[in-house]
Amino acid sequence: MDKFDAIIVGGGLAGLSAAYCMAKDGLEVLVIERGDYSGAKNVTGGRLYINPVRALLPELWSEAPLERFVGQETVTMMGEASSISIKLASDRFRRDPHHSFTILRVKFDQWLADKASEAGAMVVTKQRVDDLVRENDKIVGIVSGEDKIMADVVVLANGAMSLLTEKAGLSKPHRPEEVALGIKEIIDLPETTISERFNLGDGEGAAQLFVGSLTKGMFGGGFLYTNRASLSLGMVVGISDLMEQQPPLEAADLIEDFKLRPEIVPLIKGGETVEYSAHIIGEGGLKTMPRLFDNGILVAGDAAGFTLNTGITVRGMEFAIASGVMVAKTIKQAKEKNDFSKTSLAYYERLLKDSFVMKDMATFRHAPEVLNNTRIFQLYPEFACEAFEKLMFVGEGPKRKLSSTALSEVKTKLGWSWIKDIRQVFKI
């Protein structure tokens, strides 16, 4: 073969979704994945919001290796020595079709890679792409080791820290405040133990978000997802905050401290850590996205900045799948016209703007600046825990009115800063 219709750099959800759709339509597709296998380098927490992409790949979901549907949501605010949890157990979440599932990326990505291969795509692992081949202001292939491989279009779907987007002139280097470090452990537990421990029904799972003292005042938080026979436990910490800590903090120590919290110990008791991973995650939102296309090149998934942290939900996997499907539609149309110029590939941006991907990114465009507020991670969780503790505690003497206790806590701990912060929250 002289060249491929498309070369996809990265065998994650975006790249494999694109490869599957193109191969199914008869295009010659090569996927190059640096890891030992698809999913080997992915550290996403493990929750897929399926409703936005259910109709994009309808033939796949009945056999996809989904772990548990999420029927319970818990948000926990952590103080130094106390915590408050708000739990939602919803019949709406429990009804089929379910809106989200926990997944294990090692299983899911390998399954999707198999589907792409069955459709006719060539998936090559353990290979690194070192550079792009450019001719007459157009990307026409990639360089892998000593080999040049040519294609009509190159798709960059190689993660948040894609150096190739910089080499293509589509992005600038990330600044520390635009990225975070994600750390995750997979902890094996028997399926029945998980169901009993979290009070879960048949096939049901739980998701829990943690914010407060676990990140030592830094941007970030923790997460826990129940898989079929394991837990995904991890945390995300802002890189710039981590760099500024004196004395220096090791990210590995943070998660170990997190696991020793009394809120976590009974949940993971008896479990065995079978996987540990860490990865860079984009947190810049719409303002830090690269250009998404140029002559002979498209960008998808995390490499395109399609991650969204609103403070109570962290999304990315459905954006990756959707962008991969739209990449495939764009390249199919470009091949029909035999036009792979940026004018032709601009169709990709139009598809994205008409979809939930860019609409949600635009709706929550202020989320990064709102979350760039240390009081969210330091002051408010501690305040909530202390205030609720005083409201609930009964001592030896007479107890003050609840309203007086609450007002006193607000005045002494919050002052007037909370009013400004509430105004900011209304941006999202």
Side-chain angles (χ1 to χ4, degrees), residues 216-227:
K216 313 297 183 185
M218 296 181 286
F219 167 87
F223 59 84
L224 184 150
Y225 301 120
T226 58
N227 306 309

Side-chain angles (χ1 to χ4, degrees), residues 287-301:
K287 294 180 180 178
T288 60
M289 285 174 52
R291 288 192 293 124
L292 301 177
F293 63 94
D294 204 343
N295 295 317
I297 192 166
L298 296 165
V299 190

Side-chain angles (χ1 to χ4, degrees), residues 245-260:
Q245 295 301 304
Q246 292 298 332
L249 277 175
E250 293 290 337
D253 293 337
L254 286 175
I255 195 166
E256 288 303 317
D257 290 345
F258 181 39
K259 290 166 64 179
L260 293 174

Side-chain angles (χ1 to χ4, degrees), residues 66-68 102-104 107 186-195 198 200 203-205 225-232 267 270-274:
L66 306 170
E67 292 291 308
R68 294 174 183 252
T102 59
I103 67 172
L104 292 169
K107 289 183 182 178
I186 300 296
I187 301 171
D188 273 0
L189 278 171
E191 183 174 349
T192 54
T193 299
I194 292 173
S195 296
F198 289 86
L200 301 171
E204 184 182 10
Y225 301 120
T226 58
N227 306 309
R228 191 174 301 279
S230 66
L231 304 177
S232 294
L267 300 180
E272 177 186 2
T273 298
V274 294

